Amino acid sequence: MKKTRERMVSDNMWGSSAVFCMAAFVAFVVVRSEAAVRVGWILYGCGWVAPVCMAVWCAARRKSPGVGGVFAFGLLVVFGLLTWLAHG
């Protein structure tokens, strides 16, 4: 079954939070400098942009965000909480 263009964009937008969390993790754990920690928090904040935009898009179209929304927001909340405990 072939996905529509809208579905492909939606999947990638929901999944983009994982890329930002991974980049922030690298900044926090691998680089470990004071500047890298600031960059890590900026990357983490940028990770919220696409899921929030998708949540607004789903609300405007009266659609359920589905598993992608749960994954994106769950990942961001858990990653943010754990990182804040370690680097806050």
Side-chain angles (χ1 to χ4, degrees), residues 2-88:
K2 190 172 180 177
K3 290 185 181 181
T4 64
R5 184 178 303 244
E6 179 184 351
R7 186 71 193 158
M8 286 187 291
V9 170
S10 174
D11 291 348
N12 287 326
M13 290 286 283
W14 286 123
S16 68
S17 61
V19 175
F20 283 101
C21 285
M22 186 62 188
F25 177 78
V26 168
F28 287 128
V29 176
V30 176
V31 180
R32 290 189 181 187
S33 69
E34 194 172 312
V37 170
R38 279 193 302 264
V39 169
W41 283 115
I42 291 169
L43 288 169
Y44 170 72
C46 291
W48 282 90
V49 173
V52 168
C53 290
M54 283 303 298
V56 170
W57 177 258
C58 288
R61 299 193 72 201
R62 294 193 172 132
K63 283 187 164 183
S64 172
V67 177
V70 173
F71 167 77
F73 289 115
L75 175 70
L76 287 165
V77 168
V78 169
F79 181 81
L81 180 65
L82 292 175
T83 305
W84 177 72
L85 289 173
H87 297 283

